[in-house]
Amino acid sequence: MSLKTYLTLSALCFSSLAGIAQSIKPISISNTGSANAFPLVKGKQAAAVYIDKADAEVVGIAANCFSKDVASVTGILPTVSNGIPASGIAVIAGTIGHSKLIDKLAGEHKINIGKVKNQWETFSIAVVNTPMAGVKQALVITGSDRRGTAFGLFELSRMIGVSPLVWWADVAPRHHNEVYITPGTSIIGPPSVKYRGIFINDEDWGMQPWAAKNMDKDIKDIGPNTYAHIFELLLRLKANYIWPAMHPCTKAFWYYKENPVVADRYAIVLGASHCEPILRNNVFEWADNYEAEYGQKPGEWRYDVNHDQILNYWQTRATEAAKIDAVYTVGMRGIHDGSMPGPKDKKEKVKLLENVITDQRSMLAKTDNKPADAIPQIFCPYKEVLDLYQDHMKLPDDITICWADDNHGYIRQVSNPTEQKRSGGSGVYYHFSYWGAPRDFLWLSSVSPTLTSYEMSKAYQFGADKVWVFNVGDLKPAELEIQFAMDLAWDVKKWAPEKAHEYPKAWAAETFGPEFAEPIAHIKDEYYRLAASAKPEHVDVVDFNAKQTEQRLADYQSLRKEAEALKIKIPAALQDAYFELILYPVSGACLMNEKIFYAEKSFDDHNVENAKKAADAYNEIKILTQKYNQQISGGKWNGIMSDHPRDQKVFKMPEVAKAGFYDRVIQQKDIQPQATIPASQFSNKKDADGTHIKTINGLGISNNAVTVMPLVEKSYDDNIQAAPYVEYKANLTQGENSIIVKCLPTFKLYNGMGLRYAISVNGDMPQIVDINAKADTKEWSPNVLRGYSIGQTKHQVAKAGEGTIRIYLLDPSVVLSQVEIE
């Protein structure tokens, strides 16, 4: 298969050229020459890369990475020079106003910078003939700012076949002898979301021990070498923002003075989590290292009684960070992930939080010598802080509100009409990994692209375009999910909820080649579908009846066989990548389900053979994890993967029956509904008020959920009959029929809105059901573990036979997964 065919397929699905790109005739990639095509590599000769030594350091970093990427594809290493091209052909990369070469080309109208200049992180890639005396042709990458230029170089790497995961998942590019860029100009950007990044978190069992053993051996911690690789990944993904690791096992990011230097070299914007105000890691810097830093013990972490010491502690960091790119988290919580110490009275606590923010802003303005509203700040109403914020807390208009999900992928609220008018706008803090109630999910990554798109697109529609940050745990094995999140943040319309189910196919085409796109997409789709009704880490606490258990085992075993069969066809150079990205997650999820269910079945059917199957599954997880750490990529990932993070009970070998001893009985619910109807199998529908009933593939426990789109801030309180609805045909019994509606466990958009449906059977009076469950309550906990919330109603039917069930969607963000009749 030619490079042109390969990259055209990938670009159609993937390249941001198709979305935000603005161009008359965009460039494209070929491995055969054509008229006026730019020969990046031809006849074992590579075009030299020219940059300006006065440009930002990240431009040089990106240029050298690009040179190595070209070599990884062709075997030919382009030179990187700070000089001026004088003959032949050249790749020229630079930032407007910081590169004499770029400014000269623009001044002589050789390149048009009108749609790039003064934009945020925007770039163009153009083939230019006779750009200067003696130079026949140039490929010119022009950035609006330093990150724009770096993104342009890495985008070109991606276009010639180098995956953003080339280092982090060992995705080796295909070899081609020659590479050409066809004539044209592509303008890419600005991004949909301003700050786009990740949070390295809960690193105790993966990132920290791996980095200490392999990356930053001198400090035995997550340090500048590790972060340099993380920052390169972010640039390859066109991301720009980091919340560094901050658990007690890791010393603070700022403790190692080289860390912020490396961040600035890579032009990465530094932030900090919801419990780290003013870039301070309190777990280490206050609780452990304060005395070493200041020569005295810290007082109480309570602002109303220890104001001066805490403010001075923040001032030190503000001074250190004054000259780097940063977004400050403002407010205050506990030393770690807990509530802010202070008055018991809630209103007094709100006032204290307001005072904290006022003082922080005054300090920042004085330190940076600029107005507070010119300094990027976020306020993250996470967990208990949301309650304080909702109690009429006053927040300066320019601060970005960073809404949080419920830690399980469902955003607690979005901006209401008043908040949507704030100059600071809003953003989202979202989880692909989590430590906490009701259960952790720190091992495998199983939040689907479709769920991510539905929730993040919803927030974006209501103004969340300033910052998106994703808790990615140890980063591995969440590579696909991270790549999707950053692609979505760059161009939110390209991967809208209706299209997001296509992403695994596009990703597989780019990562493994188009011939593997369909089978890998099917594997990933099934992996996400099965996890939607219980993540691998939660399968032991979700109730499945006997039929569901058998079906789940069969589905997982079939999926694993499919993944194993495909492995044989994967090229040798991509075997490590396939294990990391596909085979380990699929096998691990399958084996976890086998371990739990066969252990239960050993008691249920008094079959000791099932006990052996459970033990075999447990042991095989250990073997596969050992392979990940010690064999894959020559031991490169030794320590990164733990199959028992936090040593949770679900990871241990469960109790099983022993021959002759059956004194334990598994109380497995075996209630079978009379009928189960996937939400997408409606027989009739009605749209309303400019909205449409939509089936979202890849969403919910039935894998095809039904909702109303676009979301509008309208509720049908007085006129249910005017609401959009779907109808289902079902056989009903005479007398009472109980109908259960299973919905995605979303939240109402914001206070004042509802999350309700109304249901009518054979035209009877509609019954209204509220399915909103407040986060962190006993009603909410089972919802997020099993993947659905429940509404239940009872209906009297005069005559047995086929009946009509009509479900009205009264509020936005109601998503139907399944209808059951008992």
Side-chain angles (χ1 to χ4, degrees), residues 146 254 260-261 263-264 268 270 279 320-326 328:
R146 60 179 181 160
W254 288 81
V261 174
D264 189 52
I268 298 300
L270 289 176
L279 307 179
E320 287 181 295
K323 294 183 179 180
I324 68 166
D325 227 348
Y328 294 93

Side-chain angles (χ1 to χ4, degrees), residues 262-279:
V262 172
D264 189 52
R265 289 181 61 225
Y266 281 81
I268 298 300
V269 182
L270 289 176
S273 73
H274 49 83
C275 56
E276 298 177 278
I278 316 298
L279 307 179

Side-chain angles (χ1 to χ4, degrees), residues 501-523:
H501 71 283
E502 299 171 359
Y503 187 88
K505 181 179 177 180
W507 174 85
E510 183 188 41
T511 307
F512 293 99
E515 66 270 42
F516 300 113
E518 288 279 0
I520 288 177
H522 182 263
I523 289 168

Side-chain angles (χ1 to χ4, degrees), residues 13 116 153 240 259 339 473 540 641 708:
C13 297
V116 177
L153 285 159
N240 60 8
N259 281 346
S339 62
D540 63 325
M641 184 57 60
V708 174

